[in-house]
Amino acid sequence: MNSETTKNYLKDENEVSQFFISTGLTINYTYNNISFSFVPIGFDYATSTIGKEWIYNQKRWWGFGIGLEPKFLQSLMNK
């Protein structure tokens, strides 16, 4: 977090790290050891005073991800 993402609550050169609690709804699908995830709705909640000044605090977000099962590494390790 910096002055740009806190509406100048922090001074220009200051950067801080904060702890947030994230919650959301996730839809997962797995096919041939590949997982697809979609998060149609999620929220981040600040746990500190500075975090509550974050411009994205309690704002809706969405996301997606692709995961590979690490079984393909077994063939490399068993050589």
Side-chain angles (χ1 to χ4, degrees), residues 3 5 12 20 32-33 35-36 41 43 49-50 54 60 66:
S3 64
T5 60
D12 290 333
F20 289 86
N32 286 342
N33 298 324
S35 296
F36 302 93
I41 186 168
F43 295 93
T49 303
I50 294 173
W54 187 42
R60 182 180 180 269
I66 299 174

Side-chain angles (χ1 to χ4, degrees), residues 20-40:
F20 289 86
I21 296 173
S22 293
T23 181
L25 175 68
T26 305
I27 300 167
N28 295 312
Y29 176 73
T30 302
Y31 179 77
N32 286 342
N33 298 324
I34 300 174
S35 296
F36 302 93
S37 298
F38 177 62
V39 183

Side-chain angles (χ1 to χ4, degrees), residues 5-72:
T5 60
T6 59
K7 299 178 190 167
N8 291 320
Y9 181 81
L10 294 174
K11 301 298 177 208
D12 290 333
E13 296 300 320
N14 290 345
E15 286 191 13
V16 296
S17 297
Q18 296 292 307
F19 180 74
F20 289 86
I21 296 173
S22 293
T23 181
L25 175 68
T26 305
I27 300 167
N28 295 312
Y29 176 73
T30 302
Y31 179 77
N32 286 342
N33 298 324
I34 300 174
S35 296
F36 302 93
S37 298
F38 177 62
V39 183
I41 186 168
F43 295 93
D44 294 328
Y45 296 96
T47 60
S48 68
T49 303
I50 294 173
K52 290 179 182 175
E53 297 297 325
W54 187 42
I55 59 176
Y56 301 112
N57 186 42
Q58 298 181 2
K59 300 281 173 97
R60 182 180 180 269
W61 58 266
W62 67 273
F64 64 91
I66 299 174
L68 301 173
E69 191 168 330
K71 283 186 178 180
F72 70 92

